[in-house]
Amino acid sequence: GKRAGLEGPIRDVFLEPLVFSFGTGDPRTTRANREVATALSRRHGPEVGYRVVADTELDEATLKNHSVVAVGTRRDHALLTQIAAKLPIRDDGTALVAGPHRFASPGTGAIFIHPNPAAPTRYVVVVTAVDAAGIWRALSLPQLLPDFLIYDDHLGPAAAEIVLGRDARALAGGFFGWDWQLPAEIADPEAGPR
């Protein structure tokens, strides 16, 4: 369960040794994965210098000693292939699945933090999507995020902002329970009808 030092939200990953990793298993998404991982690694300024590595470069020592921001899907990122079944949000090849909810529209993406099943004392932050457009859309994420956020093209107005604000919307978001499970209600209460 959640405990001091392993309780989220997403920003907490920056309190640990950290590496950004992009999936290389599908040539159709490798560029988006790499460029988003690189951009996210620079969000707090170029002087921080987080390492950005291909999924094939993640080794046991790195996983043991670093939290990982993994950008990709279970089809193109080796770590996500290994741990997807143990995560509360995952892509199933055609949609993002969060508990009983499916988000299948093109351009839909998600970001969430969770204990890394491959290294349970470290975090994994997953940036995943149904397609490359959903991965690219992560560039519009605001600075402050809860434990998880599922988004689509309504995220755009949040680009370079601190919070979503009144113009941007998410499909779902919130905080995991103390057991790292999704809450009963995940819809954005501010989204209203579309």
Side-chain angles (χ1 to χ4, degrees):
K2 288 188 174 187
R3 59 178 170 74
L6 204 62
E7 73 253 288
I10 291 169
R11 193 175 183 98
D12 278 6
V13 76
F14 292 98
L15 301 175
E16 306 226 340
L18 182 60
V19 64
F20 289 75
S21 174
F22 58 94
T24 60
D26 183 344
R28 296 171 299 175
T29 56
T30 299
R31 179 177 175 204
N33 293 344
R34 181 182 60 249
E35 291 187 13
V36 168
T38 300
L40 293 177
S41 77
R42 296 178 179 156
R43 285 190 93 167
H44 297 289
E47 68 280 353
V48 176
Y50 293 109
R51 270 190 321 146
V52 179
V53 300
D55 60 324
T56 55
E57 297 176 56
L58 285 176
D59 57 20
E60 192 174 316
T62 301
L63 291 174
K64 179 181 176 188
N65 296 307
H66 295 78
S67 289
V68 177
V69 175
V71 180
T73 69
R74 66 174 178 79
R75 296 175 316 283
D76 67 16
H77 197 291
L79 177 62
L80 297 179
T81 300
Q82 176 187 348
I83 66 174
K86 298 177 181 173
L87 297 174
I89 300 170
R90 66 191 184 291
D91 77 281
D92 71 359
T94 60
L96 293 177
V97 179
H101 308 281
R102 290 178 55 81
F103 303 91
S105 298
T108 300
I111 184 170
F112 63 94
I113 192 168
H114 196 270
N116 186 346
T121 62
R122 298 289 183 185
Y123 286 121
V124 62
V125 171
V126 177
V127 178
T128 192
V130 297
D131 55 18
I135 295 289
W136 285 112
R137 192 154 282 127
L139 297 176
S140 296
L141 288 165
Q143 293 289 320
L144 296 177
L145 296 165
D147 289 351
F148 69 95
L149 193 72
I150 300 172
Y151 52 83
D152 62 7
D153 59 342
H154 291 88
L155 182 68
E161 298 293 335
I162 301 296
V163 295
L164 279 176
R166 66 178 184 192
D167 296 325
R169 296 289 180 262
L171 296 171
F175 295 91
F176 294 118
W178 287 107
D179 56 358
W180 285 100
Q181 296 301 309
L182 287 162
E185 181 59 45
I186 66 170
D188 179 356
E190 300 295 322
R194 295 201 179 180

Short mmCIF file of all heavy atoms in Angstrom, two decimals, residues 74-75 88-110 129-130 148 150-152 170-172 182 184 186-187 194:
data_model
loop_
_atom_site.label_atom_id
_atom_site.label_comp_id
_atom_site.label_asym_id
_atom_site.label_seq_id
_atom_site.Cartn_x
_atom_site.Cartn_y
_atom_site.Cartn_z
N ARG A 74 2.51 -1.31 -23.86
CA ARG A 74 2.99 -2.67 -23.57
C ARG A 74 3.46 -3.37 -24.85
O ARG A 74 4.18 -4.34 -24.80
CB ARG A 74 1.92 -3.49 -22.87
CG ARG A 74 0.71 -3.78 -23.71
CD ARG A 74 -0.26 -4.72 -23.01
NE ARG A 74 -1.43 -4.93 -23.82
CZ ARG A 74 -1.49 -5.76 -24.85
NH1 ARG A 74 -0.44 -6.45 -25.19
NH2 ARG A 74 -2.60 -5.88 -25.54
N ARG A 75 3.08 -2.84 -26.00
CA ARG A 75 3.51 -3.42 -27.28
C ARG A 75 4.88 -2.92 -27.70
O ARG A 75 5.55 -3.58 -28.49
CB ARG A 75 2.49 -3.10 -28.38
CG ARG A 75 1.13 -3.74 -28.13
CD ARG A 75 0.09 -3.33 -29.16
NE ARG A 75 0.03 -1.92 -29.53
CZ ARG A 75 -0.51 -0.95 -28.79
NH1 ARG A 75 -1.05 -1.25 -27.62
NH2 ARG A 75 -0.53 0.29 -29.19
N PRO A 88 -2.75 -0.62 -12.66
CA PRO A 88 -4.19 -0.32 -12.64
C PRO A 88 -4.73 0.28 -13.93
O PRO A 88 -5.92 0.28 -14.17
CB PRO A 88 -4.33 0.65 -11.47
CG PRO A 88 -3.00 1.30 -11.37
CD PRO A 88 -1.99 0.28 -11.78
N ILE A 89 -3.84 0.83 -14.77
CA ILE A 89 -4.23 1.39 -16.06
C ILE A 89 -3.29 0.78 -17.09
O ILE A 89 -2.08 0.72 -16.87
CB ILE A 89 -4.12 2.93 -16.07
CG1 ILE A 89 -5.02 3.54 -14.99
CG2 ILE A 89 -4.45 3.49 -17.45
CD1 ILE A 89 -4.80 5.03 -14.77
N ARG A 90 -3.85 0.32 -18.21
CA ARG A 90 -3.00 -0.30 -19.21
C ARG A 90 -3.66 -0.15 -20.58
O ARG A 90 -4.86 0.11 -20.68
CB ARG A 90 -2.76 -1.77 -18.90
CG ARG A 90 -4.00 -2.61 -18.99
CD ARG A 90 -3.83 -4.01 -18.43
NE ARG A 90 -5.00 -4.80 -18.62
CZ ARG A 90 -6.16 -4.63 -18.02
NH1 ARG A 90 -6.32 -3.66 -17.17
NH2 ARG A 90 -7.19 -5.42 -18.26
N ASP A 91 -2.85 -0.33 -21.60
CA ASP A 91 -3.42 -0.37 -22.94
C ASP A 91 -3.63 -1.85 -23.30
O ASP A 91 -2.84 -2.70 -22.91
CB ASP A 91 -2.50 0.32 -23.96
CG ASP A 91 -1.33 -0.53 -24.34
OD1 ASP A 91 -0.36 -0.59 -23.57
OD2 ASP A 91 -1.39 -1.15 -25.41
N ASP A 92 -4.71 -2.12 -23.99
CA ASP A 92 -4.96 -3.52 -24.38
C ASP A 92 -4.80 -3.71 -25.89
O ASP A 92 -5.26 -4.71 -26.44
CB ASP A 92 -6.34 -3.99 -23.91
CG ASP A 92 -7.49 -3.36 -24.66
OD1 ASP A 92 -7.26 -2.52 -25.56
OD2 ASP A 92 -8.65 -3.70 -24.36
N GLY A 93 -4.18 -2.76 -26.54
CA GLY A 93 -3.99 -2.84 -27.98
C GLY A 93 -4.98 -2.00 -28.76
O GLY A 93 -4.69 -1.55 -29.86
N THR A 94 -6.18 -1.80 -28.21
CA THR A 94 -7.20 -1.00 -28.89
C THR A 94 -7.74 0.12 -28.01
O THR A 94 -8.41 1.02 -28.51
CB THR A 94 -8.38 -1.87 -29.34
OG1 THR A 94 -8.97 -2.48 -28.20
CG2 THR A 94 -7.93 -2.94 -30.32
N ALA A 95 -7.47 0.07 -26.71
CA ALA A 95 -8.02 1.08 -25.79
C ALA A 95 -7.15 1.15 -24.54
O ALA A 95 -6.36 0.24 -24.26
CB ALA A 95 -9.44 0.71 -25.39
N LEU A 96 -7.32 2.24 -23.80
CA LEU A 96 -6.77 2.31 -22.45
C LEU A 96 -7.83 1.76 -21.52
O LEU A 96 -9.01 2.10 -21.64
CB LEU A 96 -6.43 3.75 -22.06
CG LEU A 96 -5.30 4.39 -22.84
CD1 LEU A 96 -5.12 5.84 -22.41
CD2 LEU A 96 -4.01 3.62 -22.65
N VAL A 97 -7.43 0.91 -20.61
CA VAL A 97 -8.36 0.26 -19.69
C VAL A 97 -8.01 0.70 -18.27
O VAL A 97 -6.86 0.56 -17.83
CB VAL A 97 -8.27 -1.28 -19.81
CG1 VAL A 97 -9.21 -1.95 -18.83
CG2 VAL A 97 -8.56 -1.71 -21.24
N ALA A 98 -9.00 1.25 -17.58
CA ALA A 98 -8.85 1.67 -16.19
C ALA A 98 -10.02 1.07 -15.42
O ALA A 98 -11.13 1.59 -15.46
CB ALA A 98 -8.85 3.19 -16.08
N GLY A 99 -9.78 -0.05 -14.76
CA GLY A 99 -10.87 -0.76 -14.09
C GLY A 99 -11.90 -1.17 -15.13
O GLY A 99 -11.55 -1.72 -16.18
N PRO A 100 -13.19 -0.86 -14.90
CA PRO A 100 -14.22 -1.24 -15.87
C PRO A 100 -14.35 -0.26 -17.05
O PRO A 100 -15.15 -0.47 -17.94
CB PRO A 100 -15.50 -1.23 -15.03
CG PRO A 100 -15.24 -0.18 -13.99
CD PRO A 100 -13.76 -0.29 -13.68
N HIS A 101 -13.55 0.79 -17.04
CA HIS A 101 -13.66 1.84 -18.06
C HIS A 101 -12.69 1.60 -19.21
O HIS A 101 -11.53 1.24 -19.00
CB HIS A 101 -13.39 3.21 -17.44
CG HIS A 101 -14.19 3.48 -16.23
ND1 HIS A 101 -15.51 3.89 -16.27
CD2 HIS A 101 -13.88 3.38 -14.91
CE1 HIS A 101 -15.97 4.03 -15.05
NE2 HIS A 101 -15.00 3.73 -14.20
N ARG A 102 -13.19 1.84 -20.44
CA ARG A 102 -12.35 1.74 -21.64
C ARG A 102 -12.38 3.08 -22.35
O ARG A 102 -13.44 3.68 -22.52
CB ARG A 102 -12.89 0.66 -22.58
CG ARG A 102 -12.72 -0.74 -22.06
CD ARG A 102 -13.30 -1.79 -23.00
NE ARG A 102 -12.79 -1.71 -24.36
CZ ARG A 102 -11.63 -2.22 -24.75
NH1 ARG A 102 -10.86 -2.84 -23.90
NH2 ARG A 102 -11.23 -2.13 -26.02
N PHE A 103 -11.20 3.52 -22.77
CA PHE A 103 -11.06 4.77 -23.50
C PHE A 103 -10.37 4.44 -24.82
O PHE A 103 -9.17 4.19 -24.85
CB PHE A 103 -10.22 5.77 -22.68
CG PHE A 103 -10.80 6.04 -21.32
CD1 PHE A 103 -10.42 5.28 -20.22
CD2 PHE A 103 -11.74 7.05 -21.14
CE1 PHE A 103 -10.94 5.54 -18.96
CE2 PHE A 103 -12.28 7.31 -19.88
CZ PHE A 103 -11.88 6.54 -18.79
N ALA A 104 -11.16 4.41 -25.90
CA ALA A 104 -10.65 3.90 -27.17
C ALA A 104 -10.52 4.94 -28.27
O ALA A 104 -10.07 4.62 -29.36
CB ALA A 104 -11.55 2.76 -27.66
N SER A 105 -10.88 6.17 -28.02
CA SER A 105 -10.81 7.18 -29.08
C SER A 105 -9.37 7.45 -29.50
O SER A 105 -8.47 7.47 -28.66
CB SER A 105 -11.44 8.49 -28.60
OG SER A 105 -12.79 8.31 -28.30
N PRO A 106 -9.15 7.66 -30.79
CA PRO A 106 -7.80 8.01 -31.24
C PRO A 106 -7.30 9.25 -30.49
O PRO A 106 -8.07 10.17 -30.20
CB PRO A 106 -7.98 8.31 -32.73
CG PRO A 106 -9.20 7.55 -33.11
CD PRO A 106 -10.09 7.58 -31.89
N GLY A 107 -6.02 9.26 -30.16
CA GLY A 107 -5.44 10.40 -29.47
C GLY A 107 -5.60 10.39 -27.97
O GLY A 107 -5.21 11.34 -27.30
N THR A 108 -6.18 9.34 -27.42
CA THR A 108 -6.35 9.24 -25.97
C THR A 108 -5.06 8.74 -25.34
O THR A 108 -4.41 7.83 -25.85
CB THR A 108 -7.51 8.27 -25.63
OG1 THR A 108 -8.71 8.78 -26.22
CG2 THR A 108 -7.70 8.15 -24.14
N GLY A 109 -4.70 9.34 -24.22
CA GLY A 109 -3.49 8.94 -23.52
C GLY A 109 -3.70 8.95 -22.01
O GLY A 109 -4.74 9.39 -21.52
N ALA A 110 -2.70 8.48 -21.30
CA ALA A 110 -2.76 8.45 -19.84
C ALA A 110 -1.36 8.64 -19.27
O ALA A 110 -0.36 8.28 -19.89
CB ALA A 110 -3.33 7.12 -19.36
N ALA A 129 -0.67 5.36 -24.35
CA ALA A 129 -1.76 5.86 -25.18
C ALA A 129 -2.26 4.77 -26.10
O ALA A 129 -1.65 3.71 -26.21
CB ALA A 129 -1.27 7.06 -26.01
N VAL A 130 -3.36 5.08 -26.79
CA VAL A 130 -3.87 4.13 -27.78
C VAL A 130 -3.13 4.26 -29.10
O VAL A 130 -3.19 3.36 -29.93
CB VAL A 130 -5.40 4.28 -28.00
CG1 VAL A 130 -6.16 3.97 -26.72
CG2 VAL A 130 -5.76 5.66 -28.52
N PHE A 148 -3.15 9.95 -11.28
CA PHE A 148 -3.41 9.50 -12.65
C PHE A 148 -4.27 10.49 -13.39
O PHE A 148 -5.06 11.23 -12.79
CB PHE A 148 -4.08 8.11 -12.66
CG PHE A 148 -5.49 8.09 -12.15
CD1 PHE A 148 -6.57 8.18 -13.02
CD2 PHE A 148 -5.75 7.95 -10.80
CE1 PHE A 148 -7.88 8.15 -12.55
CE2 PHE A 148 -7.05 7.92 -10.31
CZ PHE A 148 -8.11 8.02 -11.20
N ILE A 150 -6.22 10.60 -17.40
CA ILE A 150 -6.51 10.06 -18.73
C ILE A 150 -7.06 11.23 -19.54
O ILE A 150 -7.97 11.93 -19.07
CB ILE A 150 -7.50 8.89 -18.67
CG1 ILE A 150 -6.90 7.76 -17.81
CG2 ILE A 150 -7.82 8.38 -20.08
CD1 ILE A 150 -7.84 6.62 -17.52
N TYR A 151 -6.51 11.45 -20.72
CA TYR A 151 -6.78 12.68 -21.45
C TYR A 151 -7.00 12.41 -22.94
O TYR A 151 -6.68 11.35 -23.46
CB TYR A 151 -5.62 13.66 -21.27
CG TYR A 151 -4.28 13.05 -21.59
CD1 TYR A 151 -3.82 12.99 -22.91
CD2 TYR A 151 -3.47 12.51 -20.60
CE1 TYR A 151 -2.60 12.41 -23.22
CE2 TYR A 151 -2.25 11.93 -20.90
CZ TYR A 151 -1.82 11.88 -22.22
OH TYR A 151 -0.62 11.29 -22.52
N ASP A 152 -7.54 13.45 -23.60
CA ASP A 152 -7.69 13.42 -25.05
C ASP A 152 -7.37 14.82 -25.55
O ASP A 152 -6.65 15.58 -24.88
CB ASP A 152 -9.08 12.93 -25.47
CG ASP A 152 -10.22 13.82 -24.98
OD1 ASP A 152 -9.97 14.91 -24.41
OD2 ASP A 152 -11.38 13.42 -25.17
N ALA A 170 -10.03 16.71 -18.70
CA ALA A 170 -9.50 15.35 -18.74
C ALA A 170 -10.68 14.39 -18.84
O ALA A 170 -11.80 14.71 -18.45
CB ALA A 170 -8.69 15.06 -17.49
N LEU A 171 -10.42 13.20 -19.35
CA LEU A 171 -11.46 12.17 -19.36
C LEU A 171 -11.64 11.57 -17.98
O LEU A 171 -12.75 11.24 -17.57
CB LEU A 171 -11.08 11.07 -20.36
CG LEU A 171 -11.00 11.49 -21.81
CD1 LEU A 171 -10.40 10.38 -22.66
CD2 LEU A 171 -12.37 11.89 -22.33
N ALA A 172 -10.54 11.41 -17.27
CA ALA A 172 -10.58 10.83 -15.93
C ALA A 172 -9.31 11.26 -15.20
O ALA A 172 -8.31 11.62 -15.82
CB ALA A 172 -10.64 9.30 -16.01
N LEU A 182 -7.65 1.93 -8.23
CA LEU A 182 -8.45 3.04 -8.71
C LEU A 182 -9.62 3.32 -7.78
O LEU A 182 -10.20 2.38 -7.24
CB LEU A 182 -8.99 2.73 -10.11
CG LEU A 182 -7.99 2.76 -11.24
CD1 LEU A 182 -8.53 2.01 -12.44
CD2 LEU A 182 -7.65 4.19 -11.61
N ALA A 184 -13.58 4.41 -6.95
CA ALA A 184 -14.83 4.01 -7.61
C ALA A 184 -15.21 4.98 -8.73
O ALA A 184 -15.69 4.56 -9.78
CB ALA A 184 -15.96 3.92 -6.59
N ILE A 186 -13.86 7.83 -11.37
CA ILE A 186 -12.62 8.38 -11.93
C ILE A 186 -12.86 9.52 -12.92
O ILE A 186 -11.92 10.18 -13.34
CB ILE A 186 -11.78 7.28 -12.63
CG1 ILE A 186 -12.47 6.72 -13.84
CG2 ILE A 186 -11.40 6.19 -11.64
CD1 ILE A 186 -11.60 5.82 -14.71
N ALA A 187 -14.11 9.78 -13.30
CA ALA A 187 -14.41 10.82 -14.29
C ALA A 187 -14.02 12.20 -13.75
O ALA A 187 -14.10 12.46 -12.56
CB ALA A 187 -15.89 10.81 -14.65
N ARG A 194 -19.93 16.73 -23.25
CA ARG A 194 -19.09 17.15 -24.38
C ARG A 194 -19.90 17.20 -25.63
O ARG A 194 -20.71 16.42 -25.92
CB ARG A 194 -17.94 16.18 -24.54
CG ARG A 194 -17.05 16.26 -23.36
CD ARG A 194 -15.71 15.75 -23.70
NE ARG A 194 -14.93 15.91 -22.48
CZ ARG A 194 -13.71 15.58 -22.36
NH1 ARG A 194 -13.09 15.08 -23.36
NH2 ARG A 194 -13.07 15.76 -21.26
#
